[in-house]
Amino acid sequence: MAAARVRLLVSGRPEPASFARSVCARLRGGQGRGPGPWPTHCSWERGRLVLSDRPFPGASARLPLQRPPFCPFAALDQQPPGAELLLPTDRGVELGVAIILQSSDQTVLLTRRTSTLQVSPNIWVPPGGHVALEEELLDGGLRELREECGLQLPPGRFSWIPLGLWEAAYPPRLSWGLPKHHHIVLYLLVVSQESQQQLQARIQANPQEVSALLWLGADVAAAVAASEAEDGSQTPAPPARDLPPSVPAIQVEDDGRGRPLVLPTSTLLQTTPTTAEDRERVSTGTKFALGLWLQGAGR
C-alpha cells in the first residue's frame, strides 16, 4: 500500500485508513451507525491527515465528522460476512480539500462539475480536489480554487478556519455499484474581505472542470442544506415557501466565457437518486458543509 494519506488513532493505536472500511465506523469501534456527526480530533500537515476519537498530542482541531446516511461502506457493513472482500485491500483512503469561499457580503461560491467528468458529473460542489503529497491543506485548497476558477486571493485579504470532515464515496450508493473511490474531505471556510462582485470579476473558470458558477445567500443555502432527508430517503422536508423560484448563475462556455443562467431553485434541492444517473444536484457533502457554514462559523 502506498504511503497513507489518512491515518487513524483507534483507542490510541495508529493504523492506516483502509479503503474497504468506513472511517466513521472504525473510529467509533464499529458503532458509527447513528446519524452523526461525530466529534473527531485531528491534525494535518503536508498532505497527511490524522483522525482520532479522543485527544492526542499534536491534535490541532476538533471537528465534526459525517458521512451520508446511504454511505456504501456502511451498507457493506450490513451485508453477510465477507462482503467487504469484494473491495481492494491494498488501497487506503484518499485526502481531499474543499474551499467554502465566503464573500464580504455573506455569499458562498459553488461550481458545477462538467458532464464529461467520470466522477460526480453535473454535481454542484465548492472548489476543491486532491491534496498533493507534502502539500499543506490550505495551499492545496487555494491551488484548486486557482485551477478551477482562475481566482487567486490576495495575501492578507482573507482568513480561514476548518469547518468539518466528510467521508465520501463514489459511486455514492451501493445500489449504483461497488465504490471505486473513498475520500475524507476537509472543508475549509475561507472568508474574503472582497465582495461577491469583486471576486466574480476576477474569476476565469476552467471549462474542462467547471460548467457553471453560483453564489448562494444564506436563505437558499439553508433550504439546500436541509434538502437531504436524514435517513437517506428521497422525501426531504419541504423547502421554505418564500424561496425564489430561481437563482442567478453563470454558465461557463467551452471557451471559458460566461453567460447568465437562470437556475431553478428546485435543481439545488434534488437528492441523491437510488439508481445511477447524472442528475444535476448539490452533493450531500456540500449540503453538510453549508449547514456548518450557516451555524455562524464565518460570521
Side-chain angles (χ1 to χ4, degrees):
M1 181 185 296
R5 310 299 300 282
V6 179
R7 295 190 63 85
L8 310 179
L9 290 176
V10 181
S11 299
R13 296 187 300 272
E15 63 180 60
S18 169
F19 181 93
R21 300 289 304 276
S22 167
V23 170
C24 292
R26 189 73 188 104
L27 285 176
R28 297 297 135 190
Q31 302 302 312
R33 298 178 182 177
W38 298 277
T40 302
H41 301 268
C42 55
S43 69
W44 55 82
E45 63 176 35
R46 299 203 172 278
R48 293 179 175 85
L49 181 69
V50 178
L51 304 176
S52 175
D53 58 347
R54 60 186 65 179
F56 64 93
S60 53
R62 182 172 180 262
L63 299 175
L65 169 66
Q66 182 63 295
R67 68 183 180 189
F70 45 80
C71 172
F73 297 102
L76 284 169
D77 286 344
Q78 308 304 312
Q79 300 293 314
E84 71 280 0
L85 298 178
L86 298 171
L87 299 176
T89 58
D90 58 347
R91 290 175 58 187
V93 175
E94 293 294 327
L95 176 60
V97 64
I99 297 291
I100 301 292
L101 177 61
Q102 175 185 307
S103 68
S104 63
D105 34 8
Q106 304 280 306
T107 57
V108 293
L109 176 66
L110 295 185
T111 64
R112 187 178 65 196
R113 292 170 59 83
T114 65
S115 61
T116 57
L117 293 173
Q118 293 185 346
V119 177
S120 302
N122 288 328
I123 303 299
W124 287 92
V125 294
H130 285 93
V131 180
L133 191 62
E134 300 300 321
E135 185 176 40
E136 296 291 353
L137 292 181
L138 176 62
D139 294 341
L142 295 178
R143 173 183 52 76
E144 290 287 345
L145 180 64
R146 291 193 304 271
E147 292 176 357
E148 295 180 13
C149 299
L151 183 59
Q152 184 157 347
L153 301 181
R157 297 279 290 165
F158 68 90
S159 57
W160 70 281
I161 58 170
L163 268 184
L165 299 155
W166 180 257
E167 183 172 13
Y170 190 84
R173 288 182 181 267
L174 194 57
S175 58
W176 290 34
L178 289 172
K180 299 177 181 178
H181 300 274
H182 191 178
H183 288 79
I184 290 294
V185 180
L186 173 61
Y187 287 97
L188 303 179
L189 174 62
V190 174
V191 181
S192 174
Q193 297 177 19
E194 298 178 275
S195 68
Q196 172 184 320
Q197 184 177 16
Q198 291 173 310
L199 293 168
Q200 181 59 50
R202 299 205 312 278
I203 287 180
Q204 294 180 324
N206 178 358
Q208 301 300 315
E209 298 189 54
V210 175
S211 63
L213 303 161
L214 170 68
W215 292 90
L216 273 186
D219 290 346
V220 176
V224 172
S227 63
E228 197 92 39
E230 289 188 0
D231 61 359
S233 70
Q234 295 184 297
T235 55
R241 294 182 179 180
D242 56 353
L243 285 179
S246 62
V247 292
I250 297 172
Q251 180 80 31
V252 179
E253 304 289 1
D254 291 342
D255 61 3
R257 290 185 295 180
R259 63 173 176 83
L261 170 67
V262 177
L263 184 70
T265 302
S266 60
T267 298
L268 301 175
L269 306 180
Q270 293 289 321
T271 58
T272 305
T274 55
T275 56
E277 59 180 280
D278 298 335
R279 178 192 301 171
E280 183 179 354
R281 64 190 186 278
V282 178
S283 78
T284 313
T286 300
K287 294 176 181 181
F288 166 67
L290 289 174
L292 296 178
W293 173 64
L294 289 163
Q295 291 174 13
R299 301 177 189 281

